[in-house]
Amino acid sequence: MAQRRLPHFIFEYVDSGAEEERTLATNRHAFDQWRFVPDALIDCEQRDLRQPLLGDISASPLIVVLTGYNSMQRNRADIKLAHAAEEMGIPFTLSTVVNSTIEDVSRATPKERIWLQLYAMQDRAITDNLLARAKDCGCDTIVVTVDAVHYGNREWDRRCYRDGMALNWRNKFDALTHPH
Ligand SMILES: Cc1cc2nc3c(=O)[nH]c(=O)nc-3n(C[C@H](O)[C@H](O)[C@H](O)COP(=O)(O)O)c2cc1C
């Protein structure tokens, strides 16, 4: 369904990994090892998934993790994700690279606990500005990304982009055929 709905370069952005995609495969494999282990013969009348999470209580031990450019997949996706997190009572993490401002997201979800992901930019003024705006929006937690010193070698980029972030003609045409 996603493949039908999305332009190819966006689908690959979400679906693919870097190089031979070994890390992606290893992550999948690691998650496959996890199981729910049901307890038996215990009182389960009162079930409670609440967890303390960085200074506040979360309704369950989950967060909506940061992913950039969400709105390439669906219009105003960050606001929709924040709404979903608000309903679930769990934190929502807003990426540095988004299509909705932190002000818009916090206005749309006044009860939501918003975390901000931060790329420490070489230009400190950008970082300072982002932090000040996050504070004004009531954001209490900063998620600092430390593993983005080099951009991963996503080989599929070469199929989609002509140069840097400029799409090649095939993908521009493909985007035109997905006007929604
Ligand atoms: C489509 C996509 C977009 C992402 N965007 C960002 C981003 O903007 N900033 C960032 O720090 N990490 C980003 N990430 C990394 C995720 O946050 C990371 O995969 C997540 O924290 C899970 O951690 P793991 O991949 O180490 O298991 C992105 C991941 C994906 C799949």
Side-chain angles (χ1 to χ4, degrees):
M1 283 166 69
Q3 234 161 352
R4 267 203 310 274
R5 188 186 159 83
L6 294 172
H8 188 67
F9 81 99
I10 298 174
F11 183 83
E12 285 206 329
Y13 163 67
V14 179
D15 185 58
S16 310
E19 302 273 2
E20 303 295 317
E21 302 192 325
R22 295 229 168 92
T23 306
L24 184 60
T26 308
N27 280 350
R28 284 257 162 89
H29 180 71
F31 280 120
D32 282 345
Q33 306 303 305
W34 283 73
R35 297 282 180 279
F36 283 110
V37 183
D39 285 330
L41 298 177
I42 55 160
D43 180 1
C44 55
E45 199 142 19
Q46 302 291 331
R47 293 175 302 277
D48 187 0
L49 287 175
R50 276 179 306 167
Q51 284 284 323
L53 213 51
L54 300 180
D56 207 346
I57 301 290
S58 181
S60 69
L62 296 170
I63 60 174
V64 175
V65 83
L66 45 122
T67 45
Y69 305 118
N70 288 326
S71 296
M72 288 203 303
Q73 297 154 65
R74 201 167 261 260
N75 192 25
R76 291 159 60 84
D78 288 298
I79 291 176
K80 287 174 179 146
L81 285 167
H83 268 304
E86 192 178 36
E87 255 171 51
M88 294 280 297
I90 62 175
F92 166 72
T93 322
L94 187 70
S95 166
T96 297
V97 284
V98 280
N99 307 90
S100 303
T101 63
I102 191 163
E103 289 85 359
D104 285 346
V105 177
S106 79
R107 250 194 310 273
T109 56
K111 289 203 299 294
E112 176 56 1
R113 186 176 180 209
I114 298 168
W115 296 2
L116 177 74
Q117 177 257 324
L118 194 71
Y119 288 122
M121 310 281 183
Q122 270 174 343
D123 183 345
R124 284 290 172 96
I126 299 177
T127 308
D128 290 347
N129 176 271
L130 258 178
L131 286 174
R133 287 170 52 198
K135 196 171 169 208
D136 285 347
C137 290
C139 167
D140 64 13
T141 303
I142 304 295
V143 180
V144 184
T145 297
V146 293
D147 63 353
V149 181
H150 288 284
Y151 195 60
N153 179 24
R154 300 168 191 189
E155 294 181 356
W156 55 264
D157 271 1
R158 287 186 216 134
R159 292 198 297 270
C160 298
Y161 297 94
R162 180 166 45 87
D163 182 25
M165 294 296 277
L167 287 178
N168 58 25
W169 281 108
R170 191 162 59 92
N171 280 279
K172 276 185 187 166
F173 181 74
D174 180 53
L176 282 176
T177 62
H178 295 78
H180 55 280

